[in-house]
């Protein structure tokens, strides 16, 4: 399996403290109808750290059922304890997902050798398609290019979601990884255009939660070498990319989706709902981009 194009790092809709499965079904269907190339539930944007194991199971079963094989489903399965990751990964595969995405161990600041051993243990145990996730902003460490190249020799490790600010890393991967089916996906929506120019294969996008059509068109324009359209969409998306981080994610995203009539703006503690301070800014931006009710 070669992941490419625009995949969405799905939010988890909530209602009165519980997962809103009705909204989740509508949301998944809308994403697919908008042309998205893959779905990534139960990851950072999906507030995985506040979800119980049972909730994650039901979310994955719902996403897989609604998707019905139309696009790849990559389940987030992350924890600093590799045995918890293995447990979540096995549950995810039983739910019918196509692959599992695991973020580098956070909080504990492991060495590169320890990161390698962490993924090796998980890969040996799960024996399923595994996507690496490098997110130094949340993990306080960055996986080195050398570590990722070493891990890429494992055929069940199918690629990486790369959120390091160094956008030259895709080229470095391409120069060192000895296979053509290793997916190099951007984890930063605002730098996705530059990431593609450096050789990336696509993106796991936060922004596509709110504007999947433009996000898909932007990536497709690059691969079609329609550079005029690519440049226009890049400029149209940049303000939205940045505005979605006015407050801690996914509060801003969920507020924008509530304006679009998709789900409530509810998030789980320790995060709080998007505050009134920035609502006029988001409202104006959505209006100017013609992002009305779905």
């Amino acid at each position: 399996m070669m992941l490419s194009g625009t995949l969405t790092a799905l939010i988890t809709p909530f209602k009165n403290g519980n997962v809103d499965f009705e909204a989740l079904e509508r949301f998944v269907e809308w994403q697919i109808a908008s042309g998205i190339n893959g779905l990534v539930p139960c990851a950072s944007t999906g507030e995985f750290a506040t979800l119980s194991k049972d909730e994650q199971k039901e979310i994955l079963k719902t996403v897989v059922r609604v998707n019905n094989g139309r696009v790849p489903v990559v389940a987030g399965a992350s924890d600093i304890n590799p045995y918890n990751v293995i447990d979540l990964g096995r549950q995810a595969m039983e739910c019918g997902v196509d692959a599992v995405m695991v973020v580098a161990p956070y909080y504990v600041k492991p060495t590169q050798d320890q990161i390698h051993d962490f993924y090796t243990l998980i890969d040996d145990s799960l024996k399923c398609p595994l996507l690496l996730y490098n997110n130094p902003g949340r993990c306080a460490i960055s996986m080195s290019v050398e570590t990722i190249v070493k891990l890429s020799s494992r055929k069940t490790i199918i690629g990486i979601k790369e959120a390091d600010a160094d956008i030259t890393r895709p080229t470095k991967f391409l120069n060192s990884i000895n296979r053509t089916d290793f997916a190099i996906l951007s984890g930063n929506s605002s730098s996705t255009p530059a990431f593609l120019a450096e050789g990336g294969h696509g993106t796991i996008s936060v922004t596509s939660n709110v504007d999947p059509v433009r996000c898909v068109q932007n990536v497709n324009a690059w691969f079609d070498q329609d550079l005029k359209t690519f440049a226009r969409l890049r400029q149209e998306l940049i303000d939205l990319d940045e505005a979605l981080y006015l407050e801690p994610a996914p509060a801003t995203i969920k507020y924008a989706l509530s304006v679009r009539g998709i789900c409530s703006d509810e998030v789980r503690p320790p995060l709080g709902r998007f505050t009134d301070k920035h609502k006029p800014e988001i409202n104006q931006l959505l209006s100017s981009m013609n992002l009305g009710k779905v």
Side-chain angles (χ1 to χ4, degrees):
M1 177 174 56
M2 178 66 178
L3 299 173
S4 62
T6 305
L7 295 78
T8 298
L10 297 174
I11 56 99
T12 300
F14 296 126
K15 185 176 182 180
N16 300 323
N18 299 312
V19 178
D20 186 346
F21 287 101
E22 183 179 341
L24 178 61
E25 291 183 12
R26 292 195 308 269
F27 183 53
V28 168
E29 189 60 51
W30 173 63
Q31 285 280 317
I32 296 171
S34 298
I36 217 71
N37 303 116
L39 304 165
V40 186
C42 297
S44 303
T45 306
E47 299 173 78
F48 79 87
T50 70
L51 298 171
S52 70
K53 183 182 176 184
D54 286 343
E55 285 176 325
Q56 292 194 41
K57 180 178 181 179
E58 292 306 311
I59 289 166
L60 296 178
K61 287 170 63 177
T62 300
V63 172
V64 167
R65 173 176 54 79
V66 175
N67 176 56
N68 195 27
R70 289 177 286 179
V71 298
V73 177
V74 182
S78 293
D79 197 284
I80 59 173
N81 182 333
Y83 298 102
N84 289 346
V85 173
I86 292 165
D87 192 27
L88 289 169
R90 285 175 176 158
Q91 173 178 270
M93 295 307 295
E94 289 170 2
C95 290
V97 305
D98 299 289
V100 170
M101 182 178 75
V102 180
V103 76
Y106 44 88
Y107 186 78
V108 292
K109 298 184 179 181
T111 66
Q112 293 298 315
D113 285 343
Q114 289 163 352
I115 293 170
H116 177 270
D117 292 346
F118 171 84
Y119 279 112
T120 297
L121 172 60
I122 293 166
D123 187 44
D124 284 343
S125 299
L126 288 180
K127 296 182 173 64
C128 73
L130 180 65
L131 187 69
L132 309 175
Y133 182 11
N134 185 40
N135 190 337
R138 291 186 182 271
C139 296
I141 51 94
S142 184
M143 299 167 64
S144 70
V145 171
E146 292 73 20
T147 296
I148 294 162
V149 171
K150 190 174 179 181
L151 287 168
S152 74
S153 66
R154 294 176 156 261
K155 293 303 181 183
T156 45
I157 295 181
I158 61 171
I160 184 165
K161 177 182 178 182
E162 178 57 73
D164 192 292
D166 179 2
I167 59 170
T168 67
R169 283 166 67 98
T171 298
K172 293 173 182 175
F173 296 150
L174 291 170
N175 286 345
S176 302
I177 291 174
N178 190 28
R179 53 190 282 200
T180 59
D181 61 345
F182 188 85
I184 303 167
L185 304 171
S186 171
N188 290 322
S189 293
S190 60
S191 60
T192 291
F195 192 93
L196 294 171
E198 284 285 337
H201 301 124
T203 181
I204 297 180
S205 175
V206 166
T207 305
S208 59
N209 277 284
V210 178
D211 191 354
V213 172
R214 277 191 182 87
C215 290
V216 169
Q217 290 175 342
N218 193 33
V219 172
N220 288 351
W222 172 259
F223 289 118
D224 292 340
Q225 284 299 283
D226 181 355
L227 299 184
K228 184 176 180 180
T229 300
F230 176 75
R232 174 178 59 79
L233 290 166
R234 178 191 64 203
Q235 290 171 249
E236 290 178 4
L237 283 166
I238 187 62
D239 288 343
L240 181 60
D241 290 333
E242 295 184 348
L244 292 179
Y245 290 94
L246 282 170
E247 295 184 18
T252 315
I253 303 162
K254 285 189 167 180
Y255 173 71
L257 289 174
S258 74
V259 174
R260 301 209 67 190
I262 292 170
C263 64
S264 80
D265 64 348
E266 187 176 333
V267 294
R268 279 188 172 169
L271 299 181
R273 293 177 190 260
F274 193 63
T275 62
D276 291 341
K277 177 181 179 181
H278 296 293
K279 285 181 180 179
E281 185 174 345
I282 295 297
N283 294 342
Q284 173 58 35
L285 182 58
L286 294 177
S287 177
S288 68
M289 295 181 72
N290 294 314
L291 295 175
K293 295 280 186 180
V294 174

